[in-house]
Amino acid sequence: MSQESSSSSSSGIEIPFWRGLTFRQAGITLMVVLLLGLVVGALELFLDWRGMRADVERDLRATLTLVEGSASEALYQLHPELGRQLVDGLFASTSVRRAELRDNFGRVLAERVREPAASELALAWSWLFADVTQIHLVLDYGFAGARPEPVGTLEIELSAAVLTQRFLDQAVRDALFGLARALVISALVALLFYLMITRPLVRLAGAIAAVDPARPGGWSPPRLRHHRGDEFGLLRARLGHLFAASQRGLDQRDRAQTELTALTHELEQRVQARTAELERQRDALEQAFGELDRAHRELAKANRMVVESIQYARRIQTAMLPDKGALGDGVREIQVCWEPLHLVGGDWFWLERLDDERYLILIADCTGHGVPGAFITLVLASAMTDILRGHAAADPASILHAIDRVVRARLRQDHPEAESDDGLDAAVVIWEPARAELSFAGAGIPLLCMDPAGQVETVRGARAHLGYRSLPSPGEIPVHRLAVEPGARFYLLTDGISDHMGGQPRRLLGRRRLAQWLERHAELGLAEQLAAVEQLLEDYRGDEPRRDDMTLIGFQPR
């Protein structure tokens, strides 16, 4: 220890004892040994407790076996003196608290009770043996060849406090012995660690601290007896090689420093030349950025003008749509969901009272969406007045044929050089309250009918399209005449409603699933139904973007 202290002081290393390896090794070793001793001691204590309980039960049974005959004889003869001697004999054991000999008439032949002395701790922990301290034995007596008959009982109660006191005394002795054993082991382990590890490590640390950082090659290695062939000897040799290599590196550094100074001067000259070049490039780049910024401003201005134009076009298209009250008292309720994919769209609808007895509802899905689709709706809207004036008394199919002719004429699709190949799908419903009859004709658009019971039936339109230069004019379009019951509802929709992609797995919503949903929610009012349909489409689509304009008209005739 004196050698270690001198080495430490000479090297300038001052570590308090309580922070040193020896103290920490001793403390950790003591903690580990105490923890293991605590675990092993607890296990031994549990096993001793189990063993002592078994011994108590075994001794108690052996005692009963020895005294059973004498007790039966005393009870059979009703001999109090013999019973008292037997009870006194049982009390030769210091753990017996009470013994009682009682005949089969309930009379006590002999009894003795004592309260053995025990500490308060033993009394508090007496529950450890409380369940094995009492035994009740029924005694039989019989002559040779005769069947034994009960003559009484013998009850013996052991003192749980006395048994606990014995157990605690043994536990204290074991704990003291374990503590002493832990201290001895810890001291021996700490001493071994100090001699084998800590002392040579401190010497190495002192020698390393004494090294001059400017001259590591002058390192003087410490003497380490008995460690030449182990890890400390290897570490001593490696440190010698390391310091020698460090010295060589320092020498090379000095030579490199001289070379670096010359190189730095040359690089400074190159940097100055390169800086001048970069400044010229920076000026050119700033000029390019200025031009790009002006282009961005022009683009933003053009984009704003386009957006404002489309917003204005939306106001025009919205203004061209009819008021929901256009049918007056011809319907009990009508609700419309019209939502273009962009600000303007290719879906369009029309409501008009033809005369006092006939009411028209038209829905159209024109080619494309956005601005191109909106232009087709303008063509259709501008022609509707003329179409209805000339076909006011016509059926829905005649109106669809008239739309086909007008669209082809106004888009010049009847000329060979025509460029437009646009058109639409449409459906027309005419409601006649006096006859309680609804006439329907569709070109690519169906009609959903909900009866008063909530069942939905789909009336398909003809597989036809209106307009389109590349398609022939539609042939016969059937007219469906439906008797309307009170409470019935009807729905017209474009394929932007049914063609929502979503769900798991990904697939189109479809008209059949929409009809099933309407049946399940038939109790809702029309306004609530259409709002719920919009939420259904949003939930079904999830992260999938919308693909088309969508229009849904629901109405209930009066």
Side-chain angles (χ1 to χ4, degrees):
M1 293 292 290
S2 61
Q3 185 178 359
E4 176 189 348
S5 301
S6 62
S7 175
S8 299
S9 60
S10 64
S11 61
I13 300 175
E14 295 182 0
I15 300 177
F17 173 75
W18 60 273
R19 295 186 63 183
L21 285 176
T22 302
F23 178 79
R24 295 170 65 183
Q25 289 166 0
I28 293 174
T29 303
L30 181 60
M31 290 176 59
V32 171
V33 173
L34 286 178
L35 181 60
L36 290 176
L38 183 62
V39 174
V40 173
L43 180 59
E44 290 179 347
L45 190 63
F46 175 73
L47 295 176
D48 290 344
W49 173 69
R50 292 276 303 270
M52 188 172 178
R53 286 169 55 91
D55 292 343
V56 169
E57 292 179 342
R58 184 174 59 253
D59 292 344
L60 192 56
R61 293 193 191 95
T63 301
L64 290 176
T65 302
L66 290 174
V67 303
E68 182 177 3
S70 300
S72 298
E73 183 69 27
L75 287 173
Y76 179 75
Q77 297 180 8
L78 297 178
H79 197 306
E81 182 61 23
L82 180 59
R84 184 182 61 78
Q85 293 176 1
L86 185 143
V87 169
D88 291 342
L90 291 174
F91 269 76
S93 173
T94 58
S95 60
V96 176
R97 177 182 174 275
R98 185 178 69 87
E100 178 185 274
L101 194 60
R102 187 184 294 269
D103 62 18
N104 57 352
F105 297 105
R107 293 171 298 186
V108 176
L109 186 65
E111 182 182 17
R112 183 175 174 182
V113 180
R114 69 178 172 189
E115 292 296 333
S119 65
E120 293 294 333
L121 183 62
L123 290 173
W125 288 81
S126 59
W127 54 269
L128 291 171
F129 297 94
D131 59 331
V132 297
T133 57
Q134 294 184 5
I135 190 166
H136 179 88
L137 179 64
V138 178
L139 300 173
D140 297 329
Y141 187 84
F143 295 100
R147 182 178 180 182
E149 296 182 356
V151 295
T153 59
L154 173 61
E155 292 186 5
I156 300 176
E157 180 182 350
L158 303 182
S159 174
V162 170
L163 297 175
T164 304
Q165 187 67 52
R166 292 178 188 172
F167 176 70
L168 293 178
D169 292 342
Q170 180 66 33
V172 170
R173 288 194 297 271
D174 293 344
L176 292 176
F177 177 76
L179 179 60
R181 180 175 54 193
L183 292 174
V184 172
I185 293 175
S186 300
L188 291 175
V189 172
L191 180 60
L192 290 174
F193 266 99
Y194 170 73
L195 294 176
M196 297 182 65
I197 299 177
T198 307
R199 184 169 63 178
L201 187 60
V202 169
R203 291 179 178 175
L204 277 174
I208 294 172
V211 173
D212 182 3
R215 294 184 65 257
W219 179 58
S220 179
R223 294 180 60 190
L224 300 177
R225 295 181 180 178
H226 313 297
H227 292 286
R228 293 181 179 178
D230 62 9
E231 287 82 355
F232 283 110
L234 179 61
L235 179 60
R236 178 178 177 274
R238 295 291 185 186
L239 285 173
H241 295 313
L242 177 63
F243 287 137
S246 298
Q247 186 64 55
R248 291 193 297 271
L250 289 175
D251 295 340
Q252 293 175 0
R253 181 200 64 182
D254 294 337
R255 291 192 298 271
Q257 185 69 36
T258 304
E259 297 175 358
L260 182 61
T261 302
L263 180 61
T264 301
H265 180 69
E266 181 183 355
L267 288 176
E268 286 177 351
Q269 295 177 346
R270 293 183 180 180
V271 167
Q272 290 176 357
R274 183 60 178 164
T275 300
E277 178 65 22
L278 288 177
E279 288 179 351
R280 290 192 297 271
Q281 294 179 0
R282 184 193 61 187
D283 295 339
L285 187 61
E286 289 178 352
Q287 182 179 1
F289 273 124
E291 295 176 357
L292 181 62
D293 185 59
R294 287 192 296 273
H296 283 171
R297 288 196 298 270
E298 292 295 329
L299 182 61
K301 180 179 178 181
N303 182 67
R304 184 172 62 255
M305 294 176 62
V306 170
V307 172
E308 290 175 352
S309 298
I310 295 177
Q311 289 175 341
Y312 191 75
R314 178 182 176 86
R315 290 197 296 270
I316 295 175
Q317 187 177 33
T318 303
M320 294 179 64
L321 296 175
D323 183 9
K324 289 193 300 182
L327 300 183
D329 59 355
V331 292
R332 181 182 302 276
E333 182 179 3
I334 184 168
Q335 297 293 335
V336 179
C337 168
W338 179 76
E339 190 62 41
L341 179 61
H342 305 300
L343 291 175
V344 293
D347 280 6
W348 189 74
F349 67 95
W350 190 252
L351 309 173
E352 185 164 336
R353 183 170 183 170
L354 300 177
D355 52 43
D356 292 340
E357 298 298 332
R358 302 173 79 235
Y359 302 85
L360 176 138
I361 301 173
L362 179 143
I363 187 171
D365 182 1
C366 301
T367 302
H369 44 73
V371 174
F375 271 106
I376 306 301
T377 65
L378 293 179
V379 172
L380 178 61
S382 64
M384 278 306 298
T385 301
D386 296 337
I387 293 174
L388 293 179
R389 185 184 302 114
H391 299 79
D395 59 23
S398 300
I399 294 175
L400 292 178
H401 282 294
I403 291 174
D404 176 69
R405 290 192 298 272
V406 169
V407 169
R408 290 177 184 272
R410 296 202 174 187
L411 296 181
R412 300 182 181 275
Q413 293 176 347
D414 50 354
H415 291 72
E417 67 277 7
E419 296 182 0
S420 170
D421 192 16
D422 302 295
L424 66 149
D425 293 342
V428 175
V429 169
I430 295 179
W431 161 235
E432 300 179 58
R435 302 172 59 184
E437 183 179 82
L438 185 145
S439 302
F440 163 76
I445 294 181
L447 173 68
L448 303 184
C449 309
M450 178 184 289
D451 61 25
Q455 298 297 314
V456 176
E457 179 183 357
T458 300
V459 180
R460 299 183 180 275
R463 292 186 177 181
H465 305 281
L466 309 180
Y468 296 103
R469 176 177 55 82
S470 59
L471 298 177
S473 297
E476 181 182 357
I477 299 178
V479 177
H480 302 272
R481 303 188 183 278
L482 309 174
V484 179
E485 302 179 27
R489 294 178 182 178
F490 301 90
Y491 306 88
L492 290 167
L493 65 150
T494 61
D495 57 8
I497 298 288
S498 57
D499 287 354
H500 269 60
M501 179 65 72
Q504 291 296 333
R506 310 297 281 177
R507 55 185 176 180
L508 296 179
L509 175 65
R511 296 168 184 166
R512 181 174 58 85
R513 267 189 290 273
L514 177 62
Q516 293 173 349
W517 185 92
L518 290 172
E519 289 179 347
R520 292 194 300 270
H521 299 81
E523 75 282 355
L524 298 177
L526 269 178
E528 295 174 335
Q529 267 190 345
L530 265 65
V533 167
E534 292 184 43
Q535 186 62 47
L536 164 68
L537 299 177
E538 186 75 19
D539 296 341
Y540 184 81
R541 191 172 67 247
D543 297 333
E544 192 80 18
R546 279 179 52 197
R547 301 182 175 185
D548 199 358
D549 310 316
M550 61 180 191
T551 302
L552 173 61
I553 302 175
F555 63 95
Q556 181 176 350
R558 184 174 297 279

